[in-house]
Coordinates of all heavy atoms in Angstrom, one line a residue:
K114 N 8.5 -23.7 -10.7 CA 7.6 -23.2 -11.8 C 6.1 -23.6 -11.3 O 5.2 -22.8 -11.2 CB 7.9 -23.7 -13.1 CG 7.0 -23.2 -14.3 CD 7.7 -23.6 -15.6 CE 7.1 -22.9 -16.8 NZ 5.7 -23.4 -17.1
Q115 N 6.0 -25.0 -10.9 CA 4.6 -25.4 -10.6 C 4.2 -24.7 -9.5 O 2.9 -24.5 -9.6 CB 4.8 -27.0 -10.4 CG 3.6 -27.7 -10.5 CD 3.7 -29.3 -10.2 OE1 4.9 -29.7 -10.1 NE2 2.7 -29.9 -10.0
E116 N 4.9 -24.7 -8.4 CA 4.4 -24.1 -7.3 C 4.0 -22.5 -7.5 O 3.0 -22.0 -6.9 CB 5.5 -24.2 -6.1 CG 5.2 -23.4 -4.8 CD 4.0 -24.0 -3.9 OE1 3.4 -25.0 -4.5 OE2 3.7 -23.4 -2.9
A117 N 5.0 -21.9 -8.0 CA 4.7 -20.5 -8.4 C 3.4 -20.2 -9.2 O 2.6 -19.4 -9.0 CB 5.8 -19.8 -9.2
E118 N 3.2 -21.1 -10.1 CA 1.9 -21.0 -11.0 C 0.7 -21.3 -10.2 O -0.4 -20.8 -10.3 CB 2.0 -21.9 -12.3 CG 3.0 -21.3 -13.2 CD 3.1 -22.1 -14.6 OE1 2.3 -23.1 -14.8 OE2 3.9 -21.6 -15.4
R119 N 0.9 -22.4 -9.3 CA -0.4 -22.7 -8.4 C -0.6 -21.4 -7.6 O -1.9 -21.1 -7.4 CB 0.1 -23.9 -7.5 CG -1.1 -24.4 -6.7 CD -0.5 -25.5 -5.6 NE 0.2 -24.9 -4.6 CZ -0.1 -24.0 -3.7 NH1 -1.4 -23.7 -3.6 NH2 0.7 -23.6 -2.8
V120 N 0.4 -20.8 -6.9 CA 0.0 -19.7 -6.0 C -0.5 -18.6 -6.9 O -1.5 -17.8 -6.4 CB 1.4 -19.2 -5.4 CG1 1.1 -18.0 -4.5 CG2 1.9 -20.4 -4.3
A121 N 0.0 -18.4 -8.1 CA -0.4 -17.3 -9.0 C -1.9 -17.4 -9.3 O -2.6 -16.5 -9.2 CB 0.4 -17.3 -10.3
R122 N -2.2 -18.6 -9.7 CA -3.6 -18.9 -10.0 C -4.6 -18.7 -8.8 O -5.7 -18.1 -8.9 CB -3.9 -20.3 -10.7 CG -3.2 -20.4 -12.0 CD -3.5 -21.8 -12.6 NE -2.6 -22.0 -13.8 CZ -2.9 -21.4 -15.1 NH1 -3.9 -20.8 -15.3 NH2 -2.0 -21.7 -16.0
E123 N -4.1 -19.1 -7.6 CA -4.9 -18.9 -6.4 C -5.1 -17.4 -6.1 O -6.2 -17.2 -5.9 CB -3.9 -19.6 -5.3 CG -4.7 -19.7 -3.9 CD -3.5 -20.3 -3.0 OE1 -3.2 -21.5 -3.2 OE2 -3.0 -19.7 -2.3
N124 N -4.1 -16.6 -6.5 CA -4.2 -15.2 -6.1 C -5.0 -14.5 -7.2 O -5.7 -13.5 -6.9 CB -2.9 -14.5 -5.8 CG -2.6 -14.9 -4.5 OD1 -3.1 -14.5 -3.4 ND2 -1.5 -15.8 -4.3
L125 N -5.0 -15.0 -8.4 CA -5.7 -14.4 -9.5 C -7.3 -14.7 -9.2 O -8.0 -13.8 -9.2 CB -5.4 -15.0 -10.8 CG -4.1 -14.4 -11.5 CD1 -3.7 -15.1 -12.8 CD2 -4.3 -12.9 -11.7
A126 N -7.6 -15.8 -8.7 CA -8.9 -16.2 -8.3 C -9.3 -15.3 -7.2 O -10.4 -14.8 -7.2 CB -9.0 -17.6 -7.9
R127 N -8.6 -14.9 -6.3 CA -8.7 -14.1 -5.1 C -9.1 -12.8 -5.5 O -10.1 -12.1 -4.8 CB -7.5 -14.1 -4.4 CG -7.7 -13.8 -2.9 CD -6.3 -14.1 -2.2 NE -6.3 -13.4 -0.9 CZ -5.1 -13.4 -0.2 NH1 -4.0 -13.9 -0.7 NH2 -5.1 -12.9 1.0
V128 N -8.6 -12.3 -6.7 CA -8.9 -10.9 -7.0 C -10.1 -11.0 -8.3 O -10.4 -10.0 -9.0 CB -7.9 -10.1 -7.5 CG1 -6.9 -9.8 -6.5 CG2 -7.1 -10.7 -8.9
G129 N -10.5 -12.1 -8.5 CA -11.7 -12.4 -9.5 C -11.1 -12.4 -11.0 O -12.0 -12.1 -11.8
L130 N -9.9 -12.8 -11.2 CA -9.3 -12.8 -12.5 C -8.9 -14.1 -12.8 O -7.8 -14.2 -13.7 CB -8.4 -11.6 -12.7 CG -8.8 -10.2 -12.5 CD1 -7.7 -9.1 -12.5 CD2 -9.7 -9.9 -13.7
A131 N -9.4 -15.2 -12.5 CA -8.8 -16.4 -12.8 C -8.7 -16.7 -14.3 O -7.8 -17.5 -14.6 CB -9.7 -17.5 -12.0
E132 N -9.7 -16.3 -15.0 CA -9.8 -16.6 -16.4 C -8.7 -15.7 -17.3 O -8.8 -15.9 -18.4 CB -11.2 -16.4 -16.8 CG -11.7 -15.0 -17.1 CD -12.0 -14.3 -15.7 OE1 -11.8 -14.7 -14.7 OE2 -12.5 -13.1 -15.8
K133 N -8.1 -14.8 -16.5 CA -7.2 -13.9 -17.5 C -5.7 -14.3 -17.3 O -4.8 -13.5 -17.7 CB -7.2 -12.5 -16.7 CG -8.8 -11.9 -16.9 CD -9.1 -11.6 -18.4 CE -10.4 -11.0 -18.5 NZ -11.0 -10.9 -20.0
A134 N -5.5 -15.4 -16.7 CA -4.0 -15.9 -16.4 C -3.1 -15.8 -17.9 O -2.1 -15.4 -17.8 CB -4.0 -17.2 -16.0
D135 N -3.8 -16.1 -19.0 CA -3.0 -16.1 -20.3 C -3.1 -14.7 -21.0 O -2.5 -14.6 -22.1 CB -3.4 -17.3 -21.1 CG -3.4 -18.6 -20.5 OD1 -2.3 -18.8 -19.8 OD2 -4.1 -19.5 -20.4
S136 N -3.9 -13.9 -20.4 CA -3.9 -12.5 -21.2 C -2.7 -11.8 -21.0 O -1.8 -12.0 -20.1 CB -5.1 -11.7 -20.7 OG -6.3 -12.4 -20.8
M137 N -2.4 -10.8 -22.0 CA -1.4 -9.8 -21.8 C -2.0 -8.5 -21.2 O -3.1 -8.2 -21.3 CB -0.8 -9.4 -23.2 CG -0.2 -10.5 -23.9 SD 1.2 -11.4 -23.1 CE 2.5 -10.1 -23.2
P138 N -1.1 -7.8 -20.3 CA -1.7 -6.7 -19.6 C -2.5 -5.7 -20.5 O -3.6 -5.2 -20.0 CB -0.5 -6.2 -19.1 CG 0.5 -7.3 -18.8 CD 0.2 -8.1 -20.0
A139 N -2.0 -5.5 -21.7 CA -2.6 -4.5 -22.5 C -4.1 -4.9 -23.0 O -4.9 -4.1 -23.4 CB -1.8 -4.3 -23.8
Q140 N -4.3 -6.2 -22.7 CA -5.7 -6.6 -23.0 C -6.7 -6.4 -22.1 O -8.0 -6.7 -22.2 CB -5.6 -8.2 -23.4 CG -4.9 -8.5 -24.6 CD -4.8 -10.0 -24.9 OE1 -4.2 -10.6 -24.0 NE2 -5.1 -10.5 -26.1
L141 N -6.3 -6.0 -20.9 CA -7.2 -5.7 -19.7 C -7.4 -4.4 -19.5 O -6.6 -3.3 -19.8 CB -6.3 -6.3 -18.5 CG -5.9 -7.8 -18.5 CD1 -5.2 -8.1 -17.0 CD2 -6.9 -8.8 -18.8
S142 N -8.6 -4.1 -18.8 CA -9.0 -2.7 -18.4 C -7.9 -2.2 -17.2 O -7.2 -3.1 -16.7 CB -10.3 -2.7 -17.8 OG -10.3 -3.3 -16.6
G143 N -7.8 -1.1 -17.0 CA -7.2 -0.4 -16.0 C -7.5 -1.1 -14.5 O -6.5 -1.5 -13.9
G144 N -8.7 -1.3 -14.4 CA -9.2 -1.9 -13.0 C -8.6 -3.3 -12.9 O -8.3 -3.8 -11.9
Q145 N -8.7 -4.1 -14.0 CA -8.3 -5.4 -14.1 C -6.8 -5.5 -13.9 O -6.2 -6.4 -13.1 CB -8.6 -6.2 -15.3 CG -10.2 -6.4 -15.5 CD -10.5 -6.9 -16.9 OE1 -9.9 -6.6 -17.9 NE2 -11.6 -7.7 -16.8
Q146 N -6.0 -4.5 -14.5 CA -4.6 -4.5 -14.4 C -4.2 -4.2 -13.0 O -3.2 -4.7 -12.4 CB -4.0 -3.3 -15.3 CG -4.0 -3.8 -16.9 CD -3.2 -2.8 -17.6 OE1 -2.2 -2.4 -17.3 NE2 -3.9 -2.4 -18.7
Q147 N -4.9 -3.4 -12.4 CA -4.7 -3.0 -10.9 C -4.8 -4.1 -9.9 O -4.1 -4.5 -9.1 CB -5.4 -1.7 -10.4 CG -4.9 -1.2 -9.1 CD -3.5 -0.8 -9.0 OE1 -2.6 -1.6 -9.1 NE2 -3.3 0.5 -8.7
R148 N -5.9 -5.0 -10.3 CA -6.2 -6.2 -9.5 C -5.2 -7.2 -9.8 O -4.8 -7.9 -8.9 CB -7.6 -6.7 -9.8 CG -8.7 -6.0 -9.2 CD -9.9 -5.8 -10.1 NE -10.6 -7.1 -10.1 CZ -11.4 -7.5 -11.0 NH1 -11.9 -6.5 -12.0 NH2 -12.0 -8.6 -11.1
V149 N -4.5 -7.3 -11.0 CA -3.5 -8.2 -11.2 C -2.3 -7.8 -10.4 O -1.5 -8.7 -9.8 CB -3.0 -8.1 -12.7 CG1 -1.7 -8.9 -13.0 CG2 -4.0 -8.9 -13.6
A150 N -2.0 -6.4 -10.3 CA -0.9 -5.9 -9.5 C -1.1 -6.2 -8.0 O -0.1 -6.6 -7.3 CB -0.8 -4.4 -9.6
I151 N -2.3 -6.2 -7.7 CA -2.5 -6.6 -6.2 C -2.3 -8.1 -6.0 O -1.7 -8.5 -5.1 CB -4.0 -6.4 -5.8 CG1 -4.3 -4.7 -5.7 CG2 -4.4 -7.0 -4.4 CD1 -5.8 -4.3 -5.6
A152 N -2.9 -9.0 -7.0 CA -2.5 -10.4 -6.8 C -1.1 -10.7 -6.8 O -0.7 -11.6 -6.3 CB -3.3 -11.2 -8.0
R153 N -0.4 -9.9 -7.7 CA 1.1 -10.1 -7.8 C 1.7 -9.9 -6.4 O 2.6 -10.7 -5.9 CB 1.8 -9.2 -8.8 CG 3.2 -9.4 -9.0 CD 3.7 -8.6 -10.2 NE 3.6 -7.2 -10.0 CZ 4.1 -6.2 -10.8 NH1 4.8 -6.7 -12.0 NH2 3.9 -5.0 -10.5
A154 N 1.3 -8.9 -5.9 CA 1.9 -8.5 -4.4 C 1.6 -9.6 -3.4 O 2.3 -10.0 -2.6 CB 1.4 -7.2 -4.0
L155 N 0.4 -10.1 -3.5 CA -0.2 -11.1 -2.5 C 0.5 -12.5 -2.8 O 0.6 -13.2 -1.8 CB -1.8 -11.3 -2.7 CG -2.6 -10.2 -2.3 CD1 -4.0 -10.4 -2.7 CD2 -2.5 -9.9 -0.8
A156 N 0.9 -12.8 -4.0 CA 1.6 -14.0 -4.2 C 2.9 -14.2 -3.5 O 3.4 -15.2 -3.4 CB 1.9 -14.1 -5.8
M157 N 3.5 -13.0 -3.0 CA 4.7 -13.0 -2.2 C 4.3 -13.3 -0.6 O 5.3 -13.3 0.1 CB 5.5 -11.8 -2.4 CG 5.8 -11.5 -3.8 SD 6.9 -12.7 -4.6 CE 8.5 -12.2 -4.0
N158 N 3.1 -13.5 -0.5 CA 2.7 -13.7 1.1 C 3.2 -12.7 2.0 O 3.8 -13.0 2.9 CB 3.1 -15.1 1.5 CG 2.7 -16.3 0.7 OD1 3.5 -17.1 0.1 ND2 1.5 -16.5 0.6
P159 N 2.9 -11.5 1.6 CA 3.4 -10.3 2.5 C 2.6 -10.3 3.9 O 1.5 -10.8 4.0 CB 2.9 -9.2 1.7 CG 1.7 -9.5 1.0 CD 2.0 -10.9 0.6
Q160 N 3.4 -9.8 4.9 CA 2.6 -9.6 6.2 C 1.8 -8.3 6.2 O 1.0 -8.2 7.1 CB 3.9 -9.5 7.2 CG 4.6 -10.7 7.3 CD 3.7 -11.8 8.0 OE1 3.2 -11.7 9.0 NE2 3.8 -12.8 7.3
V161 N 2.2 -7.4 5.2 CA 1.5 -6.1 5.3 C 1.4 -5.7 3.9 O 2.3 -5.9 3.1 CB 2.2 -5.1 6.2 CG1 3.6 -5.0 5.8 CG2 1.4 -3.7 6.0
M162 N 0.4 -4.9 3.5 CA 0.2 -4.4 2.1 C 0.1 -2.9 2.2 O -0.6 -2.2 3.1 CB -1.2 -4.9 1.5 CG -1.1 -6.4 1.0 SD -0.2 -6.7 -0.4 CE -1.3 -6.1 -1.7
L163 N 0.9 -2.3 1.4 CA 1.0 -0.8 1.3 C 0.2 -0.3 -0.1 O 0.7 -0.9 -1.0 CB 2.3 -0.2 1.3 CG 3.3 -0.7 2.4 CD1 4.8 -0.1 2.2 CD2 2.8 -0.3 3.7
F164 N -0.7 0.5 0.0 CA -1.4 0.9 -1.2 C -1.1 2.4 -1.3 O -1.6 3.2 -0.4 CB -2.9 0.6 -1.2 CG -3.2 -0.8 -1.1 CD1 -3.3 -1.4 0.0 CD2 -3.5 -1.4 -2.4 CE1 -3.7 -2.8 -0.1 CE2 -4.0 -2.8 -2.4 CZ -4.0 -3.5 -1.2
D165 N -0.7 3.0 -2.5 CA -0.5 4.5 -2.8 C -1.6 4.8 -3.9 O -1.2 4.6 -5.0 CB 0.9 4.8 -3.0 CG 1.2 6.3 -3.1 OD1 0.3 7.1 -2.7 OD2 2.3 6.7 -3.3
E166 N -2.6 5.3 -3.4 CA -3.6 5.7 -4.4 C -3.9 4.9 -5.4 O -3.7 5.2 -6.6 CB -3.4 7.1 -5.0 CG -3.2 8.2 -3.8 CD -3.2 9.7 -4.3 OE1 -3.7 10.0 -5.5 OE2 -2.4 10.6 -3.7
P167 N -4.3 3.7 -5.1 CA -4.5 2.6 -6.2 C -5.4 2.7 -7.1 O -5.5 2.2 -8.1 CB -4.6 1.3 -5.2 CG -5.2 1.8 -4.0 CD -4.6 3.2 -3.8
T168 N -6.5 3.7 -6.8 CA -7.5 3.8 -7.7 C -7.6 5.2 -8.5 O -8.3 5.6 -9.3 CB -8.8 3.8 -7.0 OG1 -9.0 4.7 -6.0 CG2 -9.1 2.4 -6.5
S169 N -6.5 6.1 -8.2 CA -6.4 7.4 -8.8 C -6.2 7.5 -10.2 O -6.6 8.5 -10.8 CB -5.4 8.2 -8.1 OG -5.7 8.5 -6.7
A170 N -5.6 6.4 -10.8 CA -5.5 6.5 -12.2 C -6.5 5.8 -13.1 O -6.5 5.8 -14.2 CB -4.0 5.9 -12.5
L171 N -7.5 5.3 -12.4 CA -8.7 4.7 -13.0 C -9.8 5.5 -13.4 O -10.1 6.5 -12.8 CB -9.1 3.6 -12.0 CG -8.1 2.5 -11.5 CD1 -8.8 1.6 -10.6 CD2 -7.6 1.7 -12.7
D172 N -10.5 5.0 -14.5 CA -11.7 5.6 -15.0 C -12.7 5.3 -13.8 O -12.7 4.2 -13.2 CB -12.3 5.1 -16.3 CG -11.4 5.4 -17.4 OD1 -10.9 6.5 -17.4 OD2 -11.4 4.6 -18.3
P173 N -13.7 6.2 -13.5 CA -14.5 6.1 -12.3 C -15.2 4.9 -12.3 O -15.3 4.3 -11.2 CB -15.4 7.3 -12.5 CG -14.7 8.3 -13.4 CD -13.8 7.5 -14.2
E174 N -15.7 4.3 -13.4 CA -16.5 3.1 -13.4 C -15.6 1.9 -13.0 O -16.2 0.8 -12.8 CB -17.2 2.9 -14.7 CG -16.4 2.4 -15.9 CD -15.8 3.5 -16.6 OE1 -15.6 4.7 -16.1 OE2 -15.3 3.3 -17.8
L175 N -14.2 2.0 -13.0 CA -13.5 0.8 -12.7 C -13.0 0.9 -11.3 O -12.3 -0.1 -10.6 CB -12.3 0.8 -13.6 CG -12.6 0.7 -15.2 CD1 -11.4 1.0 -16.0 CD2 -13.4 -0.5 -15.5
V176 N -13.3 2.0 -10.5 CA -12.7 2.1 -9.1 C -13.2 1.2 -8.3 O -12.6 0.5 -7.4 CB -12.9 3.5 -8.7 CG1 -12.7 3.8 -7.3 CG2 -12.1 4.6 -9.5

Side-chain angles (χ1 to χ4, degrees):
K114 186 168 191 287
Q115 196 185 353
E116 172 69 359
E118 290 189 353
R119 186 188 65 72
V120 174
R122 289 182 194 283
E123 188 179 288
N124 282 290
L125 284 173
R127 203 168 166 191
V128 301
L130 293 173
E132 78 287 5
K133 299 292 186 189
D135 299 320
S136 299
M137 297 302 285
Q140 295 173 303
L141 305 181
S142 72
Q145 290 171 329
Q146 290 187 47
Q147 189 60 297
R148 283 148 66 199
V149 170
I151 294 171
R153 181 173 63 176
L155 292 172
M157 303 296 282
N158 303 122
Q160 295 295 304
V161 53
M162 288 282 286
L163 310 178
F164 293 88
D165 191 359
E166 298 193 30
T168 60
S169 293
L171 300 176
D172 292 332
E174 75 273 20
L175 304 175
V176 168

